[in-house]
Amino acid sequence: MRYFFGLVLILSIVSCSSTKKMQEEDEVFTFEFEERLLDTLTVSAPRVGSENEYILPRYNPSFTRVHDLIHTKLEISFDWEKQHVLGVADLSFKALRNTNALWLDAKGFDIHMIKLNGHTVDKHYYDGKNIILPLERSYKRGESFEVLIDYTAKPNEGEVKGSAAITSDKGLFFINPLGLEKNKPQQIWTQGETEHNSRWFPTIDKPNERCTQEIYLTVDDKFQTLSNGLLISSNKNSDGTRTDYWKQDLPHAPYLFMLGIGEFAIVEEQWKGKDLLYYVEPEYRPFAKEIFAHTPEMLSFFSDLLNYPYPWDKYAQIITRDYVSGAMENTTAVIFGDFVQKTDRELIDDNNDLIVAHEMIHHWFGDLVTCESWANLTMNEGFANYGEYLWFEHKYGKDNAEYHRIKELNTYLQTVAMQGGGHDLIWYDYEDKEQMFDAHSYNKGGLVLHMLRNYLGDEIFFLGLNKYLVDNAYSDVEAHELRLAMEDVSGEDLNWFFDQWYFSTGHPDLLVNYNYNATAQELIIDLEQIQSANGNEAIYVLPFDVAMYAQDGTRTDYTWMVSKRKESFIIEGVTDRPAVTVFDGKNILLGTKEENKTQEEYIAQYRFSKNFQDRFDAMQNLEEEYQEKILDQALQEEHHYFRMNILDAVKNSSALKDIAKTDIHSKVRSRALNRLQAMDAEFALATAKELIQKEQAYPVIAKCLDIISKQDLPYALGLVDGFKQEEKKALKGTIFNLYAQSGDSKYLPHFEQSLSEVGFTHVFNFYEAYYQLASNAELKEQEKTADILKEAALNIDNAFIKRYLATNTVNRLKNDLIFGKEDESKKGTIDYLNGVIDYIKANETDENLKERYIDF
């Protein structure tokens, strides 16, 4: 799964998810299901002395398996009006120990009938979350049995929660189920991670379970379907429906089961005899292969790199509306949010390689080999994040991979700082399993693998990955199994590495001082681990490199190991003062460093180092007056980051215009226009009006519109009126702002039409612009807007944040009227808006939203 931490940090401010601890049920009969109660067990030690009590830390163990779920066969159809799933589940089990009861996850079901080995069961126990089924006798280890359950699942009813990473736990989602929203397709799709698939079929919903599957899926004949494995048959029924039969013969975890249903265009190609399927909305059919560009090449790359051919039957990718996370690696059938659905022009300098690579490598790390518990989630997500690096390194070169790694590192560091500290990478004492989807499991996990690769070398590292996959294929793993694989191929004890990076908290913060002694011809490097200042008392064992650059740019490398709080390292025979010395010369370490470097040393570092991060750090640390000294080199850099970030040192308007016209990367062209606007607004306006006539990249067009609108808003609005529909859709964020800036209520219908379509990328901008425009409208228009927002706020198909922002916008409109200039004519509208808010509060079913609306 991929989700985006920048958005998560914003969402955490305006949303929350409640954590409800499992309560032990009253014991009404005696069966062997006690193991399930260990899932959230907190163990306390006996009291010691009269005042002190020691309590063991919380521990979330792997699920204790009593039964092995061998096979799941489902017959599924839908009641679109009620948003119900009509299902029959035929489940095959084998006992793993002596047992006389079966415990299944099944959240929010109506149970119509249960059969055990073909015979109707008279008695079972169901609490709305779990089915407890007494078996007709005691089964011994290895004995098999079958259970058939006829049920109705109601994922839209009952308690619905969400988290920052996965904003709803409904498991199965009906999108525009009655077709009432004109600009939105009807769809059904699923999101099983973490344990949400048990909202639509009964199962043992744990990551260390796995089974094969069959799904008979009955839908209206107008819809296409997608599920795991291969489409075996597709038969039309007499009532206008069609039954598609999907089958997967290789076992995988229940959270990876998926359904995708809707009116999709399906674009196909082949890779080594296997079907590659791309499901997109019909208007994006011409761009499907570009949206999922390099899919065949990626499959070959990862198969070759890991020396383990892609193990599954097909590879499908589907784009859905209102998806509750970034993307999900369902086995053979990856699901994406609609932010990846772009035209060829939108894909300019903004391809989907990162997220496509992330979900693809999951098919080895996550689907083939699955974390045995959510505490071990980095065994899925850390590898997926590192897969992004590996692909970028292969396809786009080291600089692009390193740029991505730096962003991953900075996101991790920023998250730790905002949260006031970190936690173990293998995090056994989390409060809620949804917390595992953070910058530790993802970013830190990938960065740790990068360090392990550097320490062992490529040959040993990739041999170790292959052994790990071969030894653990179609099973569940914990971090120790990766360690053992790496130890087997390297012949080296790696407990020290895994203990400090996987089973401990934090990262090193290093203070590095360089001192050159001309008399002794020595360079002394004083190194201090200062992480204790941040509450981390650990001392790290760190293999590290030092790159020393002479005055002529000649590089000499040194390798050491640090294992103390303070250590000094001496390089002898240094006849001249080095131009610059770089600690962590290969840019591998996960952590921070402070160095005593002068501006001249940073200039030398930029000029001499071939490493992306060295030049990145140098540019970051150079003061403005020194940036001119690297200007010529920076403008010739292959990577756009350097060309883009040196533009403040360009003082000539004509030069900036030339860059805005000719640079090969749209981000550089856009930044050049921004810089030009700050230097010479009139010249920037003329340039923007010239460039917008022929520019293809939307970020540059958006910047041109911004520049034009600040000085000639009618001209900018006229340009927008002339745009094609796809251009308006691609530029919607900018257009929202322009319409708000106009203050003209004739644009309110544009917001009303966009209300159901706007995705997470634009949701905050959308509601802010909508509010700005509505606040300038006539009072009756504000009342109409409030009615429209009321419907959005109470639409349970909308994400939590959309519903909150809709209500919040009504509240802001009301407050503007209350705290504005006194006017008796406003009273009726104030009362009307208050009535809308009261209606939302009275009809809201989400307890989190109710709590937030108390003060409205």
Side-chain angles (χ1 to χ4, degrees), residues 153 312 335:
W312 308 98
I335 190 168

Side-chain angles (χ1 to χ4, degrees), residues 144-422:
S144 299
F145 59 95
E146 290 194 7
V147 174
L148 183 143
I149 303 174
D150 186 343
Y151 65 95
T152 297
K154 300 175 287 185
N156 238 33
E157 301 174 26
E159 183 182 24
V160 176
K161 298 190 297 183
S163 65
I166 306 166
T167 58
S168 175
D169 65 354
K170 290 195 293 186
L172 183 142
F173 297 78
F174 289 82
I175 305 303
N176 193 18
L178 302 180
L180 300 178
E181 298 180 75
K182 295 181 180 179
N183 299 319
K184 180 179 287 188
Q186 289 180 282
Q187 295 177 351
I188 294 173
W189 46 262
T190 59
Q191 169 50 45
E193 197 172 30
T194 50
E195 297 171 11
H196 309 328
N197 269 343
S198 49
R199 296 288 293 262
W200 63 276
F201 69 94
T203 188
I204 300 175
D205 206 354
K206 299 295 178 183
N208 60 349
E209 188 57 73
R210 60 184 59 237
C211 66
T212 53
Q213 74 179 70
E214 297 174 87
I215 299 182
Y216 290 85
L217 191 56
T218 300
V219 298
D220 288 349
D221 192 37
K222 67 179 180 178
F223 293 126
Q224 285 75 41
T225 72
L226 177 64
S227 190
N228 315 92
L230 296 177
L231 180 61
I232 304 301
S233 64
S234 184
N235 297 313
K236 293 188 177 184
N237 305 314
S238 59
D239 61 355
T241 64
R242 189 185 73 255
T243 299
D244 289 348
Y245 170 37
W246 292 89
K247 185 179 183 183
Q248 177 154 307
D249 290 325
L250 296 171
H252 65 153
Y255 77 87
L256 296 167
F257 280 42
M258 76 81 67
L259 302 178
I261 298 161
E263 294 183 80
F264 295 99
I266 305 174
V267 176
E268 302 183 39
E269 56 183 332
Q270 288 275 313
W271 175 80
K272 296 190 175 180
K274 297 186 179 186
D275 290 334
L276 307 183
L277 308 174
Y278 311 137
Y279 285 61
V280 297
E281 291 178 29
E283 65 184 286
Y284 289 92
R285 178 192 292 272
F287 315 111
K289 290 185 180 180
E290 292 178 76
I291 290 169
F292 301 116
H294 310 126
T295 294
E297 185 182 348
M298 277 188 202
L299 285 166
S300 294
F301 168 68
F302 287 129
S303 295
D304 294 343
L305 183 70
L306 301 169
N307 195 25
Y308 197 113
Y310 175 74
W312 308 98
D313 293 327
K314 73 167 189 304
Y315 195 76
Q317 298 169 100
I318 184 171
I319 299 172
T320 63
R321 290 290 189 97
D322 296 346
Y323 189 56
V324 292
S325 192
M328 179 64 202
E329 66 273 13
N330 310 296
T331 315
T332 78
V334 177
I335 190 168
F336 295 88
D338 64 357
F339 64 92
V340 307
Q341 192 162 241
K342 306 169 187 175
T343 65
D344 53 351
R345 286 180 62 186
E346 289 177 279
L347 288 163
I348 296 171
D349 299 326
D350 190 25
N351 64 43
N352 295 319
D353 276 28
L354 182 151
I355 197 166
V356 171
H358 181 105
E359 305 308 326
M360 183 182 290
I361 199 170
H362 262 314
H363 281 71
W364 287 267
F365 302 97
D367 297 4
L368 177 68
V369 176
T370 309
C371 63
E372 72 171 25
S373 71
W374 300 117
N376 284 275
L377 180 64
T378 196
M379 305 313 293
N380 292 6
E381 299 299 348
F383 278 105
N385 264 40
Y386 196 46
E388 300 165 11
Y389 181 97
L390 294 170
W391 170 252
F392 274 31
E393 184 181 36
H394 163 77
K395 183 65 177 178
Y396 302 110
K398 185 76 169 178
D399 277 7
N400 281 284
E402 282 292 287
Y403 183 47
H404 178 59
R405 184 186 64 81
I406 291 169
K407 291 191 289 185
E408 292 281 290
L409 174 60
N410 287 340
T411 300
Y412 161 74
L413 294 172
Q414 290 164 9
T415 302
V416 170
M418 288 185 65
Q419 294 175 348

